[in-house]
């Protein structure tokens, strides 16, 4: 009963908070007296920088604003993960963070592992796409235990499609949706017809990416080759443990 009452209070609080955020500017929704900006990124509650721990929901949401770089950068302190953007607007609550571009069969180019979210309240959102820039191959995204998604693409010898159509139809690029949240780290592997391609050409790469960001960049998807990271979206769950006795 006590738990139920507290649960309801929590829901009411969230509801009130949603109403107040809907009517105010997204730049002003840090708690009173809490720092609300870091390097051009607004930091709304449940995230917070400080000066004290009332500014964030719990330590997973604590933001460290690193001022020792030319442009100040916010980091999720416990995950030591840079924050690119936080959106708590219009009911879509996501945080955008960098995720590595994985180079497949490329000697000397090591890709770091994707951030490991195990044990944290964060998870890779289903609003991300898996994209592989490759051909005559099947690329897949897997965790320790499961293959979660994958796609295959065909080599295209002539320019008969616009760049933005190539990933859609699976020529020199393929793209697929995530059907479930990922709460751990993941790796990317590839199977391909080795006879057709050069094993050390570093032309093949794949990544998990914020689908909205990719839609804005798909007509120039080959330029992603020059990047080490792309943005991904994380969702989170506010744990009731903190509110329950
Ligand atoms: C904010 O800071 C001012 C001045 O330090 C103080 O008077 C006020 O009580 C603080 N408000 C909150 C909500 O902590
Ligand atoms: C801030 O960033 C610099 C450069 O990346 C790094 O050396 C330093 O450890 C960071 N400071 C904190 C407090 O994370
Ligand atoms: C953050 O996301 C919001 C909503 O998607 C967008 O309007 C804003 O331009 C983004 N800010 C940055 C710094 O990318
Ligand atoms: C929320 O996300 C959904 C799915 O990506 C999108 O269709 C919708 O436009 C978003 N709403 C807002 C207010 O950004
Ligand atoms: C991810 O983090 C969890 C918890 O810290 C750890 O048990 C697991 O081994 C990590 N996974 C990888 C692949 O590093
Ligand atoms: C394979 O790629 C390397 C590096 O780009 C290049 O030097 C070499 O000539 C290529 N070999 C073949 C058989 O295409």
């Amino acid at each position: 009963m006590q738990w139920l009452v507290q649960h309801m209070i929590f829901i009411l609080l969230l509801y009130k908070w949603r109403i107040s955020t809907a009517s105010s500017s997204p730049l002003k929704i840090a708690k009173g007296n809490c720092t609300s900006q870091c390097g051009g990124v607004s930091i709304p509650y449940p995230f917070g920088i400080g000066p004290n721990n009332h500014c964030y929901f719990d330590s997973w949401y604590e933001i460290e604003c690193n001022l020792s770089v030319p442009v100040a950068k916010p980091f999720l302190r416990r995950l030591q993960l840079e924050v690119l953007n936080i959106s708590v607007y219009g009911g879509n609550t996501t945080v955008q963070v960098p995720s590595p571009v994985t180079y497949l069969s490329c000697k000397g180019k090591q890709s770091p592992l994707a951030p490991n979210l195990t044990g944290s309240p964060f998870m890779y959102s289903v609003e991300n796409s898996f994209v592989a820039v490759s051909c005559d191959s099947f690329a897949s995204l897997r965790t320790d235990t499961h293959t979660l998604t994958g796609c295959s693409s065909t080599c295209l010898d002539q320019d008969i499609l616009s760049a933005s159509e190539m990933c859609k139809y699976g020529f020199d690029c393929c793209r697929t949706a995530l059907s479930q949240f990922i709460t751990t780290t993941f790796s990317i592997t590839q199977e391909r017809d080795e006879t057709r391609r050069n094993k050390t050409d570093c032309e093949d790469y794949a990544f998990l990416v914020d689908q909205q960001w990719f839609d804005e960049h798909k007509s120039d998807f080959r330029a992603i080759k020059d990047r080490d990271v792309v943005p991904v979206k994380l969702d989170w769950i506010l744990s009731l443990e903190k509110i329950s006795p």
Side-chain angles (χ1 to χ4, degrees), residues 40-41 84-87 96 212:
V41 179
L84 303 172
N85 199 352
I86 300 174
S87 167
Q96 208 184 41
Q212 197 180 342

Side-chain angles (χ1 to χ4, degrees), residues 58-187:
D58 67 24
S59 60
W60 286 109
Y61 299 88
E62 183 182 353
I63 301 282
E64 192 172 65
C65 189
N66 190 331
L67 301 169
S68 57
V69 279
V71 178
K73 279 185 183 176
F75 286 82
L76 284 169
R77 186 186 61 79
R78 283 187 70 172
L79 289 171
Q80 281 300 302
L81 189 55
E82 187 185 343
V83 169
L84 303 172
N85 199 352
I86 300 174
S87 167
V88 292
Y89 204 61
N92 283 0
T93 56
T94 53
V95 54
Q96 208 184 41
V97 301
S99 181
V101 173
T102 300
Y103 289 83
L104 304 156
S105 54
C106 174
K107 282 212 181 79
K109 183 127 186 164
Q110 279 250 305
S111 301
L113 267 182
N116 183 357
L117 305 177
T118 305
S120 83
F122 300 100
M123 58 203 129
Y124 294 97
S125 160
V126 290
E127 286 174 38
N128 294 303
S129 291
F130 173 65
V131 176
V133 180
S134 174
C135 72
D136 284 352
S137 83
F138 176 78
S140 53
L141 183 150
R142 42 178 300 125
T143 63
D144 271 359
T145 49
H146 291 92
T147 296
L148 295 183
T149 191
C151 62
S152 56
S153 48
T154 307
C155 297
L156 188 66
D157 294 326
Q158 287 161 340
D159 280 345
I160 51 166
L161 287 173
S162 71
S164 60
E165 288 172 320
M166 293 176 80
C167 299
K168 181 173 172 190
Y169 296 116
F171 290 103
D172 291 351
C173 174
C174 64
R175 171 183 189 175
T176 183
L178 268 194
S179 57
Q180 63 189 94
F181 294 96
I182 310 174
T183 56
T184 173
T185 184
F186 59 83
S187 59

Side-chain angles (χ1 to χ4, degrees), residues 15-74:
Y15 182 65
K16 268 187 78 169
W17 179 63
R18 283 271 290 274
I19 288 178
S20 62
T21 60
S23 56
S24 64
S25 144
L27 298 178
K28 287 181 186 161
I29 52 181
K31 278 196 175 177
N33 290 2
C34 296
T35 309
S36 62
Q37 286 271 328
C38 174
V41 179
S42 356
I43 312 294
Y45 194 77
F47 298 88
I49 295 174
N52 58 49
N53 64 7
H54 296 296
C55 291
Y56 40 87
F57 183 76
D58 67 24
S59 60
W60 286 109
Y61 299 88
E62 183 182 353
I63 301 282
E64 192 172 65
C65 189
N66 190 331
L67 301 169
S68 57
V69 279
V71 178
K73 279 185 183 176

